[in-house]
Amino acid sequence: MESFDLALLEEVWSEQDFQDLRQKLLPTYPAAHYFRSGIIGSGLCVFSKHPIQEFTQHVFTLNGYPYMIHHGDWFCGKAVGLLVLHLSGLVLNAYVTHLHAEYNRQKDVYLAHRVAQAWELAQFIHHTSKKADMVLMCGDLNLHPKDLGCRLLKEWTGLCDAYLETRDFKGSEEGCTMVPENCYVNRRELEQFPLGIRIDYVLYKAVSGLYISCKTFKTTTGRDPHSGTPLSDHEALMATLCVRHSPPQHTSNPSHGPAERSALISVLREAWTELDQGMAQALWWATIAGYVIGLGLLLLALLCALAVGGGIREVAILLWTPSVGLVLGAGAVYLFHVQEAKGLCRARAELQHVLGRAREAQDLSPESQPALQPGRQEGDRAEEQ
Amino acid sequence: MESFDLALLEEVWSEQDFQDLRQKLLPTYPAAHYFRSGIIGSGLCVFSKHPIQEFTQHVFTLNGYPYMIHHGDWFCGKAVGLLVLHLSGLVLNAYVTHLHAEYNRQKDVYLAHRVAQAWELAQFIHHTSKKADMVLMCGDLNLHPKDLGCRLLKEWTGLCDAYLETRDFKGSEEGCTMVPENCYVNRRELEQFPLGIRIDYVLYKAVSGLYISCKTFKTTTGRDPHSGTPLSDHEALMATLCVRHSPPQHTSNPSHGPAERSALISVLREAWTELDQGMAQALWWATIAGYVIGLGLLLLALLCALAVGGGIREVAILLWTPSVGLVLGAGAVYLFHVQEAKGLCRARAELQHVLGRAREAQDLSPESQPALQPGRQEGDRAEEQ
């Protein structure tokens, strides 16, 4: 009904739901795409008034644990989708994403994965948007504004937060997108945050020579204005962005000065530490699984001996099932955590490289050297490995 | 010893091997990177004389089957690695990759996966190289020059084949990279190809205004010139590329005419069919696995009844292990093939979109409409879904 240029949805788990939406929205949004991935699907889809020139997607390397079946994130294949649109002669790269959920903020076992996802998201945007005139990133980051992953994404891509930038905001208090007024929200989860939390975002940036401002920014407030029942457990975000040509000094990417560089260095360092701890944890689990495999094999050998030698034969046979299961299960856990460690190590290496180059740019005087511009081009540096 | 600007290796499975190589090559190649992924690793690494400005990687969504343990590709996490280098003021995007092996050319069960990988590779290059002045792609594609995946990659990215372009070639006959003279090559696998096969490539392209030519192209010929024993089962490729500024009419990307467009359409159509067949196959396996799960659950219920009711109690207990294994195994196979079908469907959707836009560009007269330029910008079209 609002007739936006672009509508980006998350958690549309059923492809049939997407098809139904598609049929209903066809008059207003002739173009649409559903991003398929994983076993359940990424849940991401888009509806556009304008023709979609190109699309592709990147599925995150790390996305929780398959044995956390009750959380289910691993089965979704969470991803970032990219759409390329041509609007009034300008190239817009629009990204839609959904990161791993946070189930326990006090003891978050998925923190390293979410940081790795935020990094992969930032890298995907960085490497695929180099020729775009405008970048738009919308999605459920499952990250509070001050959380490491959110800062990492903003600092490395140079994206601005529409909620913080707008002068005309209407909606839930502090722009929260999970609010206690919403009947689908578990209020106990929001005990620490009486107003709610802001974990869904509209971020944007433009190349030099263009200037984007957020004219209006609205959120729903926990209930559908028509039926009273909210349309989703998260509040919808609605932004009107205004793109203007600007003189070069009014660039919208405020990432030139030493202050921005040192903010980037600090967040990169923090993320490096988090990924490093995650890696140690992954290797610890792999080691434990290795021991369990050894133990299981010993147990199997013992059971074979008992079954052959008589004695407690029936018990020995009965114990076969759990022992074989133990060995196979521990084997799978071992392989999973080895792969997890490799994925975290990969993100850490990419991050360390960027960190090293940012430090070098900082060490050189700002007069003699062009500053590091996140999301654009950078200075020289041999690889850190 | 040859002191190239860039050396790109595949199948370096051990990170310790990479570290050893790194130490040895440090005087000539101060920059290096090892691309980590999957359980074993992507096997990809690079050594560079010039500082590496940026790097990232994309792990292929589909990469064979985990239960094909003897083939092992699934465990590698095959990928494409990207390096960004700045050479003489120009931006070079260098890609290194290794696609799924071909174990049986007559009955290739991995064909759809290799086509999907070739497509993902082409899309990754397409979306990440838009601002690069030069693109270089090196790797073991496990594809013969006329194979679908190879044609798809070349047509969609507009990359040129160094072996075909050079005027100064020295090396194995027909540029083959797996030759019967190599003592590590199984000659029975080359029965159909007495000269060998060409499955490793150096591909390149430049933006308009630049012109790349391949000055010299060499391969090893099955033995190390010093010790007689070859260094690898594949022959090494060595290319010297010459980059020149060129007047606009001499662009190196020959993808403007209707002939190139219809070649692209034909290869896209062929790939679409292959992915579609692969999807049907994946869904067939998922269905079979679904039936096996049902059967296994029935068997388990029967065994429970027998164990409780007495009779052949010991036999019933004995059969528990294989039944539980059957249900869990079939469950895993089911989930795997559902995910496989989603991955193939995703590639097919991306491909279909490009195909539709290429057809539209073809339908419009070449005079009234700028032609579709693979690897650059394209015309308008509403999404196909």
Side-chain angles (χ1 to χ4, degrees), chain A residues 231-244:
Chain A
L231 297 162
S232 161
D233 60 333
H234 286 230
E235 302 313 313
L237 302 182
M238 291 155 280
T240 315
L241 304 178
C242 180
V243 183
R244 279 195 302 264

Side-chain angles (χ1 to χ4, degrees), chain A residues 106 178 180 185-197:
Chain A
Q106 277 66 49
M178 271 194 101
V185 169
N186 183 349
R187 288 180 191 205
R188 282 191 56 189
E189 282 178 21
L190 292 182
E191 254 172 11
Q192 304 283 317
F193 308 98
L195 292 176
I197 53 178

